[in-house]
Amino acid sequence: MTALSLLLVACGGGFSVESGPNGTGGTGGTGGTGGTGGGTGGGNEGPGTYSVQLASTDQAITLDDVSVVDITVSSQGFTGDVQLETTVPQGWTAAFANPSVSLTDGAEVVTSVVLTPPLDGGGTTFDLAVRGVNPLVNGESSPMQIEALAEYVIAMTGNHSYPTGVTLPVGTKLSFLNVDGTHARVHSDYGNDNFPHQPQGAQSAQGDYYSVTPTTSRQYQFYCHTHGQGTGVGNFVLQ
């Protein structure tokens, strides 16, 4: 029986196995050269970058409303999780639809943040910017302006469900929106110390507003003139 020896040939840092004749020992292969610097991450140099953009233009909202701002986070060679943060004035709240987004190279994630003003925040204006936070790479959007108007909108609808016990600063404009066309006139002579009654002949059409700006600190009550106070009464406290 013919004996075989094994010749180990270096092959790209690994080894292949070849047979040789008896007695001729294979020459030891040279060890594969080590990767320089642990390689280059599959051709990706560094952690890459990402951008944070606000899709909305400047916004002005009333005190009964919220501002929804769309956010686009785009990766340029970056893979990982990005925390989203922002800073708002005292009393405001900012709620992210997705406080954290996951990115891969070339990916784009669209999310949003909802801003809610305090009831005493009328006249507040600030610059909103959203920051992306990651242990390796941080980013921040260009700012957009958010303004809270000193105005509160009351929807006059068929269900007669009106706000009660809402406290607002004196000088806040109260705007009554005729939503469905059935509430043509706001009545305000129920109780004491009310704001002006909507004048006869000044009925609102669907989509119209009737607005008043009380300047005295007191409670103001109202109801729908068409359907009467028995269907629902709303009130505000201005102080």
Side-chain angles (χ1 to χ4, degrees):
M1 180 178 294
T2 304
L4 296 177
S5 64
L6 297 180
L7 174 65
L8 300 180
V9 180
C11 180
F15 291 94
S16 64
V17 181
E18 297 182 2
S19 62
N22 185 31
T24 58
T27 58
T30 59
T33 58
T36 60
T40 59
N44 180 18
E45 297 182 1
T49 62
Y50 60 85
S51 63
V52 181
Q53 294 179 310
L54 304 183
S56 301
T57 56
D58 296 348
Q59 292 189 14
I61 59 173
T62 53
L63 298 176
D64 60 288
D65 203 359
V66 298
S67 174
V68 181
V69 179
D70 292 330
I71 306 165
T72 301
V73 187
S74 304
S75 168
Q76 298 88 41
F78 174 85
T79 296
D81 294 333
V82 176
Q83 296 290 126
L84 298 178
E85 299 178 354
T86 191
T87 302
V88 294
Q90 184 175 358
W92 287 69
T93 62
F96 286 96
N98 304 97
S100 176
V101 297
S102 296
L103 295 175
T104 56
D105 184 10
E108 181 178 279
V109 176
V110 178
T111 183
S112 62
V113 60
V114 178
L115 307 173
T116 304
L119 292 177
D120 62 353
T124 303
T125 301
F126 70 97
D127 290 331
L128 173 74
V130 173
R131 298 180 296 276
V133 180
N134 175 274
L136 297 178
V137 182
N138 294 331
E140 183 167 345
S141 72
S142 297
M144 63 175 288
Q145 189 177 87
I146 303 293
E147 179 184 4
L149 303 175
E151 179 180 8
Y152 192 101
V153 176
I154 303 96
M156 304 292 284
T157 62
N159 63 10
H160 302 94
S161 178
Y162 307 132
T164 59
V166 177
T167 300
L168 298 166
V170 170
T172 300
K173 181 165 72 172
L174 305 178
S175 295
F176 298 86
L177 170 62
N178 187 340
V179 175
D180 54 17
T182 62
H183 298 271
R185 192 174 174 206
V186 175
H187 201 108
S188 61
D189 66 354
Y190 171 72
N192 298 315
D193 299 325
N194 289 279
F195 50 77
H197 189 292
Q198 187 171 358
Q200 181 71 29
Q203 287 86 345
S204 302
Q206 184 175 4
D208 287 348
Y209 291 86
Y210 168 62
S211 298
V212 293
T213 305
T215 57
T216 302
S217 178
R218 60 179 64 148
Q219 177 172 283
Y220 294 87
Q221 301 184 78
F222 67 92
Y223 61 92
C224 172
H225 181 92
T226 305
H227 300 100
Q229 67 189 58
T231 59
V233 176
N235 65 75
F236 291 89
V237 177
L238 274 72
Q239 62 183 27

